[in-house]
Every structure is written in structure tokens, then in C-alpha cells.
Amino acid sequence: MIPIAQPLLGPEEAAAASQTVLSGWLSQGPQVADFEAEFAALVGVEHACAVSNCTTALHLALLAVGVGPGSEVITVSHSFIASANAIRQCGGVPVFIDIEADGYNIDPSAIAAAITPRSRAILCVHQIGMPCDLAAIRAVAQAHGLPVIEDAACAIGSEILIDGGWSRIGRAHGDIVCFSFHPRKVITTGEGGMLTTRNPEHDAKFRLWRQHGMSVSDVKRHQSQSVIFETYPVQGYNYRMTDIQAAVGREQLKRLGGIVARRRALADQYTAMLAGVDGIEPPREPAWARSNWQSYCIRLDPAIGQVAVMQKMLEHGIATRRGIMCMHLEEAHVDVPRPFPLTRSEHARDHCILLPLFPQMTGAMQSEVVERLIEAVEAARPVRSPPKLAVVS
């Protein structure tokens, strides 16, 4: 079986987790602090705050910029359902706009029309690791005084050419960036998330909220030479990352450069192998973006059945996934108003397929995927009726 994804873990991660278990400090503590510092240095940002997962990161980011009951957040429906769930958990309303014509990210040209007096933020998603057009998004946001939150769940290690140079996603070209370390992502801590920002006030709120609103951290209290009693000035949440997870994350950060390089090489090979194949459109990487290729998404000719292709590949032991979900079509969010057409989003969901891609993938595996994909596409083509012969009387 060729899986859709596979995390790259080894003895180093196992040893780091074991050492942390034996240290006696398992919950949020010194390993988390070191992971945050190393992550911040990696992406080039002042503040990084570790949390339990990316969904909780999104929740805190939205709260920090003032999203509350009745607030509108402009975003895409073409994303994992957590994006909209976090907005609604704040009492806000997602305002769904469509994706770009030649990709799978938010269409910057559609944002301005969605802005109302109730707009509180723009939530853009770096879908499947491909950076959004942050320069265009930021220009609209600044013109209307709106903060930008980047859902970078899939985008650790991706880069963007902006402000005259290349920089990593996470440097907070908007206001706040949220990452995921789920096993489906490029690096993993099992579960886990991270918020990055250049705003010290945002960072202070994240640290307060993630630990029940507690005024003094466990580490500070443990290290103190005098008795300290914590207070709870605000209502908070239990959104902490454990030291076991952070210890694994620190080892994963050491692998990131090699993982991304391998994924980019595999993506280039896919594109070369699929070039010119009738009925299959490979993904496009803009000149100003360097994707980590968290997923490789192909688009099928609408006449070719998506499910039929996926089923045929599954029968040959190859896992795939359909195009990114559309949240407005899920029962959980059918009550959200839809003031704008979402034609491109729906088309992408119904005609795109994610192919297997992971750093341990061999050339033989990739050749097998492409061979079986082409066979499946040919088998799923509609049968053409033979031409009718003219009747000569």
C-alpha cells in the first residue's frame, strides 16, 4: 500500500520523548519554552507560542484581534472545517469568498467586496502548503484597517518573496500566523500548534489564555525562591502543549530543511511526469512562492470521474484524497449566509485529487502512482459514441 502521507520520525524523536518522560516534567515546561524559541528563530519572528493544536491557535488568534459575537471574518470555504469552527466558537460569522482562478487559495480581488462595517478580520489559508498572495491581501487589509490572520496549518517551511526578499511563512507578514503539527503535516508532534506574531501584546494574551488565564506559569513558580500564588485575571482555556510533544518537535525542526527539499524534488518529478498528460492538470507554483508541497493536488478534466479514478487507484493499493472540502457544503455550516458565488471552490473539491507525497517515497513508488493514475484516468473517460454513418438513399 502506498499511503497518502507518512511522518518522518526516528530514534532521535524517540530518545527525546524518553528523556523528557524520565525527567519528571511532562506538561508545559522547559521543553516547550525551548521549542518556541527555536521555532521563532527558524521563521524569523519575535514571538512564538506553542498550543495544543492549530484549531486552538486559530481560536486565540481570532480572540486577540477582537472577533466576538456578530463579528464577520472574511475567509474561504475551501479549507478544513476547523477554519470556520474557530470563527463560530468566538461568536463570529464566516463570510466565505471564492478561491483564485488558477490555484486553491483565497482570491485577493474578491476581498474588498466582502468588507462591511461588521468585518473584524481577514483569515487567509495557505492551502496545502502553497503560500497565499500576501502582498495583495495585505494591501486590501491595510486600506480597510483589518488585521490578517494566516492559517498556515500546512505551510511550515514554505517561503514567499515579499518586501524585497524571501522569507518563511510564519514571519507574520500579516498579524498572526497559526501552524499545525498534526501527523498529516510536514513535521509533527502528534498533535500540537504554534502561534507566531510580531506583536508582544498578542503574545502575552496567548500565554495567559492557553493556561486557564493563570498569571504565573508553572515554570516560573517552580523556579522561584519565594512562595508565589497565582491569580486568574481573565477566563482562559486549557490549550497547553506538553513537554513530550515539544521535545519531539525540537527534533523535527532539525529535519525540516531536508524534508522540504525532498518534498520539492518529488513535486518537481510529479510535474515532469504528468506534463502533457491529457485530462490531468498539475498544480502551479507562482514565481513569488516556494511551497513545502504538503500535498500535491492535480485537477482532472470535468468529464473524468473523480471518484472512479480514486477507486481504481485504491484497488491498486494507492491512497488518494479528494480535493479540499468546502465548508459551506457541510451540514455543520449550512446555516452560514452565502452572499457570494463559490463556483471555483466547489469545482476544485469535485474535480481535484491529492496524490501520495512524503519524504520516504521512492522513485519506484512515484512511478507506480503515475502509471496507475494514467490508467485510472483512461478507464474513467466517458465512452465516445462512434460517428454516425450517413445514410445514402
Side-chain angles (χ1 to χ4, degrees):
M1 181 74 180
I2 300 178
I4 187 73
Q6 186 175 328
L8 181 58
L9 298 160
E12 296 84 357
E13 286 82 1
S18 175
Q19 290 165 13
T20 302
V21 169
L22 295 175
S23 76
W25 194 306
L26 307 185
S27 188
Q28 180 179 283
Q31 288 288 344
V32 169
D34 287 343
F35 184 36
E36 291 169 337
E38 291 162 7
F39 193 93
L42 178 78
V43 301
V45 73
E46 289 85 346
H47 307 285
C49 179
V51 289
S52 53
N53 54 63
C54 190
T55 307
T56 56
L58 287 168
H59 184 209
L60 296 187
L62 291 161
L63 290 176
V65 300
V67 174
S71 300
E72 293 180 350
V73 179
I74 299 165
T75 190
V76 286
S77 170
H78 185 72
S79 180
F80 184 58
I81 203 161
S83 302
N85 284 350
I87 295 169
R88 302 193 76 181
Q89 285 162 7
C90 295
V93 179
V95 177
F96 295 133
I97 62 176
D98 217 351
I99 58 174
E100 56 203 342
D102 55 354
Y104 307 106
N105 286 330
I106 192 169
D107 181 0
S109 68
I111 295 174
I115 296 173
T116 75
R118 294 180 297 280
S119 299
R120 185 62 61 194
I122 299 168
L123 173 59
C124 64
V125 183
H126 300 297
Q127 195 53 261
I128 53 181
M130 187 67 70
C132 295
D133 187 349
L134 283 172
I137 295 167
R138 194 169 60 180
V140 179
Q142 290 174 348
H144 294 272
L146 290 175
V148 174
I149 296 171
E150 302 171 49
D151 182 342
C154 299
I156 178 64
S158 294
E159 298 179 341
I160 189 168
L161 181 62
I162 191 170
D163 296 333
W166 286 97
S167 62
R168 284 216 167 117
I169 296 298
R171 195 172 178 178
H173 301 95
D175 293 82
I176 303 168
V177 192
C178 303
F179 291 94
S180 171
F181 303 123
H182 183 272
R184 182 71 176 82
K185 305 305 187 287
V186 171
I187 62 173
T188 185
T189 58
E191 287 283 359
M194 188 77 74
L195 298 113
T196 64
T197 183
R198 287 168 289 145
N199 187 325
E201 294 181 3
H202 287 340
D203 185 64
K205 289 178 180 178
F206 302 152
R207 294 176 184 280
L208 187 63
W209 285 333
R210 73 174 173 179
Q211 192 169 3
H212 302 286
M214 187 187 300
S215 62
V216 179
S217 72
D218 293 336
V219 174
K220 185 175 180 180
R221 189 174 62 247
H222 180 73
Q223 294 174 342
S224 176
Q225 298 303 306
S226 58
V227 175
I228 297 177
F229 294 113
E230 73 276 10
T231 61
Y232 297 85
V234 299
Q235 294 181 13
Y237 310 90
N238 184 0
Y239 285 176
R240 292 170 292 190
M241 174 182 279
T242 70
D243 258 26
I244 301 171
Q245 292 170 301
V248 171
R250 295 180 67 193
E251 293 300 322
Q252 286 278 280
L253 286 182
K254 297 173 186 177
R255 298 183 186 271
L256 180 61
I259 290 174
V260 172
R262 177 61 180 155
R263 297 181 81 96
R264 288 185 59 79
L266 288 166
D268 287 345
Q269 185 65 15
Y270 264 141
T271 300
M273 296 170 80
L274 294 172
V277 176
D278 186 34
I280 299 175
E281 180 184 338
R284 181 189 68 89
E285 183 179 64
W288 43 261
R290 292 175 182 160
S291 178
N292 64 8
W293 293 106
Q294 185 267 343
S295 292
Y296 190 89
C297 183
I298 61 166
R299 191 184 296 263
L300 299 176
D301 184 296
I304 297 170
Q306 177 200 56
V307 176
V309 171
M310 295 175 67
Q311 181 62 39
K312 196 71 173 177
M313 295 188 73
L314 184 60
E315 290 167 5
H316 287 292
I318 298 171
T320 59
R321 293 291 183 272
R322 73 169 182 176
I324 306 304
M325 68 186 296
C326 289
M327 294 182 285
H328 72 280
L329 299 178
E330 297 296 327
E331 187 175 354
H333 296 296
V334 291
D335 59 327
V336 175
R338 292 187 234 167
F340 304 101
L342 301 170
T343 310
R344 295 171 183 165
S345 300
E346 293 177 7
H347 186 279
R349 186 196 74 156
D350 296 337
H351 299 289
C352 289
I353 294 177
L354 307 184
L355 300 182
L357 198 158
F358 47 93
Q360 307 93 313
M361 194 174 198
T362 64
M365 287 179 181
Q366 194 168 32
S367 295
E368 175 75 4
V369 170
V370 171
E371 180 182 345
R372 295 303 186 184
L373 172 63
I374 294 173
E375 288 178 3
V377 166
E378 289 302 317
R381 288 187 190 280
V383 178
R384 293 185 176 89
S385 301
K388 292 182 180 180
L389 299 176
V391 178
V392 179
S393 58

